[in-house]
């Protein structure tokens, strides 16, 4: 049998002694450096290579973090100022819209005042509170009724002339059918010659050319021309005489060579009506409208 070789015992120094020795060495080096002004150049050089890049990196990271914080602060300030500016814009927009509405109302009231002075009839003002679907005010509802003296067949005016006629009355409202409605036919005349004619509502024509139909014009002397004013006639059973309807925009002779037809450009903007005047004086006697 082979004899087992005895292992040599390894020399082992406890860790605590190593740590104590290194600490003592460091302390002695520090004292020597302070007392004898000893320069540890190799250590300084090593420390320079090791710690200076670390310090630069830390400084750069700190600078980046600081800049990021500043940017976030500036962004918050900008967002806050932007919100304040947006609120100011919203307020100014609201004020501007209110101002425009007030200007529109003032202009509307001026037109109604001028219209009131133009026709020597007793009248009452009213505002539109409802209308049928569509772009045109062919039928609509006003906020005055029987309590205010409104009756069926009273004439309604706005802008520069005739709008229509009251067709139904409630206690505090009334329905109005305008002269552009397909069911409406108004007995009219040419202001300059007093030649009679009819003006017929036509919503399709309004949509295509913003005019309505002129028919049965008696112009024996051939004096009527494009641009002449068309007003309500004295022979109408429902409309008071002399109220402006519009202006002749087109005119031609009918196949019978006895009458003329054409189109009328209206004095009222039937796409934008807000307030009206109701003429309280009703027409008493006349021939029937068609």
């Amino acid at each position: 049998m082979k004899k087992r070789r005895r292992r040599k015992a390894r020399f082992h120094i406890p860790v605590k002694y190593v740590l104590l020795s290194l600490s003592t060495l460091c302390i002695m080096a520090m004292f020597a450096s302070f007392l004898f002004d000893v320069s540890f150049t190799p250590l300084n050089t090593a420390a320079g290579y090791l710690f200076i890049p670390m310090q630069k990196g830390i400084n750069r990271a700190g600078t980046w973090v600081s800049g990021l914080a500043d940017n976030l602060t500036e962004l918050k300030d900008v967002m806050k100022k932007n919100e304040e500016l947006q609120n100011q814009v919203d307020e100014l927009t609201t004020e501007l819209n209110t101002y425009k509405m007030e200007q529109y109302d003032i202009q509307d009231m001026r037109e109604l005042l001028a219209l009131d002075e133009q026709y020597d009839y007793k009248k009452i003002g009213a505002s539109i509170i409802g209308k049928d679907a569509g772009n045109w005010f062919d039928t609509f509802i006003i906020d005055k009724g029987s309590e205010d003296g409104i009756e069926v067949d009273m004439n309604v005016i706005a802008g520069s002339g005739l709008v229509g006629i009251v067709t139904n009355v409630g206690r505090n409202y009334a329905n109005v059918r305008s002269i552009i409605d397909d069911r409406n036919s108004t007995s009219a005349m040419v202001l300059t010659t007093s030649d009679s004619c009819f003006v017929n509502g036509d919503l399709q024509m309004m949509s295509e050319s913003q005019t309505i139909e002129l028919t049965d014009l008696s112009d024996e002397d051939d004096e009527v021309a494009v641009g002449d004013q068309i007003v309500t006639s004295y022979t109408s059973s429902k409309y008071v005489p002399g109220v402006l309807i519009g202006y002749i925009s087109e005119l031609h002779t009918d196949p019978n060579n006895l009458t003329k037809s054409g189109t009328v450009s209206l004095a009222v903007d039937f796409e934008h009506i807000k307030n009206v005047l109701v003429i309280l004086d009703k027409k008493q006697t006349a021939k029937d409208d068609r």
Side-chain angles (χ1 to χ4, degrees), residues 151-155 165-167 237-239 279 282-283:
E151 297 178 6
V152 172
D153 289 340
M154 284 185 172
N155 296 185
I165 197 166
V166 175
T167 58
S237 63
K238 295 181 180 180
Y239 292 98
I279 297 177
K282 294 175 63 177
K283 187 69 178 290

Side-chain angles (χ1 to χ4, degrees), residues 16-117:
K16 61 181 180 180
Y17 293 121
V18 175
L19 182 60
L20 180 61
S21 300
L22 291 175
S23 300
T24 303
L25 181 61
C26 289
I27 293 172
M28 292 175 62
M30 291 173 59
F31 274 105
S33 176
F34 283 115
L35 294 176
F36 304 104
D37 193 20
V38 177
S39 176
F40 296 93
T41 302
L43 293 176
N44 290 337
T45 302
Y49 280 111
L50 179 62
F51 295 110
I52 289 177
M54 292 176 60
Q55 184 176 3
K56 288 182 179 180
I58 293 172
N59 289 339
R60 289 177 182 175
T63 303
W64 180 80
V65 172
S66 177
L68 181 61
D70 293 339
N71 290 337
L72 290 174
T73 302
E74 292 178 1
L75 180 60
K76 290 180 180 179
D77 293 339
V78 170
M79 292 178 65
K80 183 178 179 180
K81 291 180 180 178
N82 183 65
E83 183 178 357
E84 293 174 353
L85 291 173
Q86 186 61 49
N87 291 334
Q88 292 179 6
V89 169
D90 293 340
E91 291 177 1
L92 291 174
T93 301
T94 302
E95 291 178 4
L96 180 61
N97 291 336
T98 302
Y99 173 76
K100 288 181 178 179
M101 289 296 295
E102 290 176 351
Q103 288 295 104
Y104 177 78
D105 289 341
I106 291 173
Q107 181 63 30
D108 197 31
M109 290 299 134
R110 286 175 178 172
E111 291 178 355
L112 289 179
L113 180 60
L115 197 63
D116 182 37
E117 295 174 351

Side-chain angles (χ1 to χ4, degrees), residues 153-173:
D153 289 340
M154 284 185 172
N155 296 185
V156 180
I157 58 177
S160 299
L162 182 65
V163 172
I165 197 166
V166 175
T167 58
N168 182 51
V169 178
R171 188 171 58 87
N172 53 9
Y173 74 92

Side-chain angles (χ1 to χ4, degrees), residues 233-280:
S233 74
Y234 294 94
T235 61
S236 173
S237 63
K238 295 181 180 180
Y239 292 98
V240 295
V243 179
L244 179 63
I245 296 174
Y247 305 86
I248 297 176
S249 56
E250 183 183 336
L251 194 63
H252 59 266
T253 302
D254 293 331
N256 60 19
N257 291 321
L258 298 175
T259 59
K260 293 182 179 180
S261 300
T263 58
V264 176
S265 297
L266 299 170
V268 175
D269 181 2
F270 282 91
E271 198 171 6
H272 305 95
I273 305 177
K274 184 177 181 181
N275 301 294
V276 298
L277 292 176
V278 181
I279 297 177
L280 299 177

Side-chain angles (χ1 to χ4, degrees), residues 176-231:
V176 177
R177 185 177 71 229
S178 73
I179 58 174
I180 68 172
D181 187 83
D182 293 334
R183 298 165 291 177
N184 199 82
S185 183
T186 308
S187 178
M189 66 180 184
V190 181
L191 182 63
T192 55
T193 65
S194 296
D195 289 322
S196 63
C197 61
F198 281 92
V199 176
N200 306 313
D202 193 322
L203 291 176
Q204 184 174 350
M205 285 185 63
M206 283 295 297
S207 299
E208 293 174 353
S209 61
Q210 296 190 14
T211 60
I212 57 177
E213 185 183 31
L214 172 71
T215 61
D216 300 320
L217 172 62
S218 301
D219 185 21
E220 295 179 358
D221 298 326
D222 201 26
E223 295 178 346
V224 179
V226 171
D228 286 349
Q229 294 185 23
I230 301 296
V231 299

